[in-house]
Amino acid sequence: MTILATRLDTGGDEYADHRAVMLEKLDALAVEHAKALAGGGPRYVDRHRARGKLTARERIELLVDQDSPFLELSPLAAWGSDHPVGASLVTGIGVIEGTECVITANDPTVRGGSSNPWTLRKALRANEIALHNRLPLVNLVESGGADLPSQKEIFIPGGALFRDLTRLSAAGIPTIAVVFGNSTAGGAYVPGMSDHTVLVRERAKVFLGGPPLVKMATGEEADEERLGGADMHARTSGLADHVAEDEPDACRIARRIVHRLHWRREGPRPDIAAAPPKYDEEELLGIVPGDLRVPFDPREVIARLVDGSDFDEFKPLYGPSLATGWATLHGYPVGILANAQGVLFSAESQKAAQFIQLANQRDIPLVFLHNTTGYMVGESYEQGGIIKHGAMMINAVSNSRVPHLSVLMGASYGAGHYGMCGRAYEPRFLFAWPSAKSAVMGPQQLAGVLSIVARQSAAAKGTPYDEDADAAIRAMVEQQIEAESLPAFLSGRLYDDGVIDPRDTRTVLGMCLSAVHSGPVEGARGYGVFRM
Ligand code: COA
């Protein structure tokens, strides 16, 4: 039997405790998510509506198939920065006329929809997702261009936005721009570089320079409509392929454009008869302990994610601190790597490297479920070659070419974050649970290391060591590292694609698997040299 059994005692105190902590964290995150939904706040939203305009999310709703889900990405972008949560841009994956697309929409209620450094990161991430997964890209445009006070951080790197549009097009990935309002200066290159354009009559304004700038540059008195209106661009400049009568009409036309792409997926289809897990997804709330030093069995998570809770474990007796095995998720075959006891030893690393190679030979996507404090340190482990073995695993992850999906359930520390396909290893998607923490090491360990180094430095100089100051610094550092390792902070910096409710994990992974199969799913046939 390969159906996973459960030992989760859903009536017990432990489960109740874990669940209560997780729900508390979810409540706190809901408050932050609400900030992104509120956009620029009631004053700007009301003004926007009074102008007869729809909000960014309403535009997306009209664009996607009725009642279809929209996987919003990085709603907490810019969290903890000087810019509003959400980064004045909504991005995600939605289904238009049966075709999964990457959709972005400027939020014009936040500083005129202008782009700050976080908006840029979020937009570039959306472009990357479109490119890596071969998904058509639809940009819903209404933006005051660069956020002028932070221009120094976006002007030069921001050129990548337009570069990406042409590269997507060159890769045969369709790009569609629907312009609802202002799209000035650099913004004009969004429709300028897109394969298909729709401009809303008497609303879209697409020009390199608006009337004041033209006046300054050439002395010409210009009228906005004649300079960059939809009608002018449709009849005279040729920039507009379609003129929409109003916003719903623009969404309708964009849907027709996607329909006429006749988009064909290149990855294999899933088995649609796949069974749901045998255990309730609700129970995912009660697995991860509030204290991440307490281990938990990731098979309890796997049992609530995969089809029929059916998991063929690979090498269960070897390297038991990492569970590896095969399953299907919403009918898509996957290989899963899940940390079982936190630490990665040599055996776990070698097992991971072999497993990843197998998945590549069979063209099977990989799911990484993180709860690791990193690779084991200490004399016997160093002598046993932990560096070589960790390097093998990281090599296997780096050169693997099947799609990777990562979920940070608990700890994701040190090089363990890398070996388990952290952000820098380009998983196609990476999500965190509210219980996750990620940093170079745990806060206590980091503060302790700093203290030892400072003590040694004082001894070397022959100066006395201030123990009181040490305790205060340790506490401060611990607090800082703790705050910097939390999901909202990391999500704010775009180090993941969002913080998700554990109960949604199967759905989110299913949507991601569907998205990655828009492109071909092919493993690597060659590898870098493994240090044996
Ligand atoms: N950078 C920074 N802040 C901006 C901004 C920008 N590019 N564009 C608008 N804002 C701010 C405004 O100062 C205003 O702030 P406030 O409410 O605190 O005073 C807020 O965003 C809303 O702008 P407002 O002009 O009231 O909104 P609007 O909907 O009437 O007009 C624009 C929107 C985009 C048409 C208009 O703001 C504009 O022309 N902005 C400058 C566009 C530009 O030239 N950008 C340079 C591109 S490189």
Side-chain angles (χ1 to χ4, degrees):
M1 281 300 279
T2 53
I3 311 280
L4 288 168
T6 184
R7 289 211 197 116
L8 199 65
D9 174 13
T10 52
D13 290 347
E14 242 178 37
Y15 176 87
D17 283 353
H18 299 170
R19 187 171 185 277
V21 175
M22 187 68 91
L23 284 173
E24 209 174 289
K25 289 181 176 162
L26 278 169
D27 284 348
L29 276 165
V31 173
E32 303 309 314
H33 280 138
K35 290 180 187 165
L37 286 177
R43 185 172 143 225
Y44 290 96
V45 173
D46 292 347
R47 186 180 73 164
H48 188 69
R49 287 195 200 288
R51 290 169 171 172
K53 294 188 164 197
L54 298 170
T55 64
R57 285 183 176 77
E58 287 164 350
R59 287 170 182 165
I60 292 172
E61 217 169 311
L62 283 182
L63 183 67
V64 299
D65 293 351
Q66 200 172 353
D67 297 330
S68 67
F70 177 67
L71 177 60
E72 186 167 339
L73 300 170
S74 302
L76 297 179
W79 189 94
S81 77
D82 294 338
H83 299 281
V85 175
S88 71
L89 183 74
V90 183
T91 64
I93 294 179
V95 182
I96 305 171
E97 292 281 321
T99 297
E100 276 151 323
C101 299
V102 173
I103 300 169
T104 81
N106 299 116
D107 185 343
T109 68
V110 182
R111 300 198 68 71
S114 56
S115 294
N116 60 56
W118 303 107
T119 323
L120 176 63
R121 282 205 197 186
K122 194 164 167 176
L124 292 176
R125 174 67 186 144
N127 291 351
E128 188 177 84
I129 290 172
L131 185 66
H132 290 172
N133 300 294
R134 198 178 157 271
L135 295 168
L137 173 67
V138 184
N139 288 310
L140 306 183
V141 186
E142 178 165 16
S143 163
D147 173 70
L148 294 172
S150 54
Q151 69 83 29
K152 70 175 189 303
E153 286 168 73
I154 48 173
F155 166 58
I156 290 172
L161 274 180
F162 318 122
R163 175 205 67 192
D164 283 354
L165 287 174
T166 61
R167 287 189 177 165
L168 281 163
S169 182
I173 300 171
T175 52
I176 300 164
V178 188
V179 187
F180 292 89
N182 207 65
S183 182
T184 318
Y189 289 114
V190 175
M193 300 280 179
S194 294
D195 290 350
H196 304 272
T197 60
V198 183
L199 271 60
V200 178
R201 192 185 295 287
E202 289 167 11
R203 294 295 172 106
K205 290 178 182 47
V206 184
F207 27 59
L208 285 187
L213 193 143
V214 172
K215 175 84 180 157
M216 290 297 292
T218 66
E220 185 185 284
E221 295 282 351
D223 162 272
E224 278 195 337
E225 267 308 301
R226 278 185 290 131
L227 201 60
D231 214 54
M232 185 287 285
H233 280 306
R235 290 175 196 283
T236 315
S237 80
L239 182 73
D241 301 334
H242 305 269
V243 176
E245 291 311 315
D246 52 25
E247 297 200 9
D249 191 38
C251 296
R252 184 191 61 80
I253 295 170
R255 289 176 53 78
R256 289 304 296 166
I257 294 171
V258 175
H259 176 78
R260 291 289 179 192
L261 295 175
H262 300 291
W263 192 244
R264 290 180 191 88
R265 292 157 61 87
E266 290 187 353
R269 291 265 165 200
D271 170 8
I272 50 168
K278 278 171 57 86
Y279 309 102
D280 194 348
E281 289 166 73
E282 180 73 24
E283 294 165 0
L284 289 167
L285 289 179
I287 297 174
V288 184
D291 179 355
L292 290 182
R293 285 170 302 187
V294 180
F296 64 90
D297 187 351
R299 293 170 195 83
E300 296 290 357
V301 174
I302 297 168
R304 287 158 183 83
L305 295 184
V306 303
D307 299 338
S309 305
D310 195 353
F311 182 62
D312 282 87
E313 195 158 345
F314 169 78
K315 284 195 166 172
L317 303 177
Y318 186 80
S321 181
L322 181 78
T324 49
W326 311 105
T328 62
L329 203 156
H330 278 291
Y332 291 102
V334 288
I336 299 176
L337 297 95
N339 303 112
Q341 292 291 332
V343 184
L344 290 160
F345 299 90
S346 285
E348 281 73 10
S349 309
Q350 289 173 305
K351 169 165 135 177
Q354 186 188 358
F355 185 69
I356 293 166
Q357 282 188 299
L358 286 174
N360 275 271
Q361 291 285 13
R362 317 271 181 270
D363 302 330
I364 295 175
L366 289 169
V367 176
F368 294 81
L369 301 175
H370 294 225
N371 182 34
T372 177
T373 46
Y375 293 96
M376 192 63 196
V377 295
E379 196 178 297
S380 66
Y381 302 102
E382 297 287 3
Q383 289 177 1
I386 188 70
I387 299 175
K388 281 190 327 188
H389 299 131
M392 269 179 156
M393 179 172 171
I394 296 173
N395 181 346
V397 169
S398 308
N399 288 303
S400 164
R401 298 194 56 81
V402 291
H404 295 173
L405 308 176
S406 284
V407 179
L408 275 56
M409 308 181 293
S412 187
Y413 288 121
H417 177 72
Y418 303 158
M420 290 295 289
C421 199
R423 186 58 140 182
Y425 290 78
E426 300 184 335
R428 298 290 181 91
F429 295 93
L430 184 150
F431 294 95
W433 284 3
S435 45
K437 280 186 192 169
S438 196
V440 68
M441 61 180 86
Q444 278 175 339
Q445 290 83 346
L446 194 146
V449 169
L450 270 181
S451 160
I452 293 168
V453 172
R455 201 180 295 269
Q456 285 171 345
S457 166
K461 287 186 210 129
T463 51
Y465 195 64
D466 184 341
E467 294 296 338
D468 290 344
D470 178 80
I473 291 171
R474 266 176 94 138
M476 204 176 68
V477 169
E478 241 183 87
Q479 215 175 17
Q480 180 200 328
I481 303 304
E482 169 76 13
E484 289 174 358
S485 61
L486 294 178
F489 179 85
L490 296 171
S491 207
R493 302 176 83 78
L494 274 293
Y495 287 147
D496 59 38
D497 294 310
V499 187
I500 57 169
D501 186 324
R503 290 169 290 190
D504 294 335
T505 311
R506 177 173 156 85
T507 305
V508 168
L509 290 179
M511 290 176 79
C512 292
L513 282 168
S514 181
V516 304
H517 283 78
S518 181
V521 174
E522 282 164 14
R525 296 295 180 258
Y527 261 96
V529 175
F530 284 99
R531 179 173 293 281
M532 298 296 183

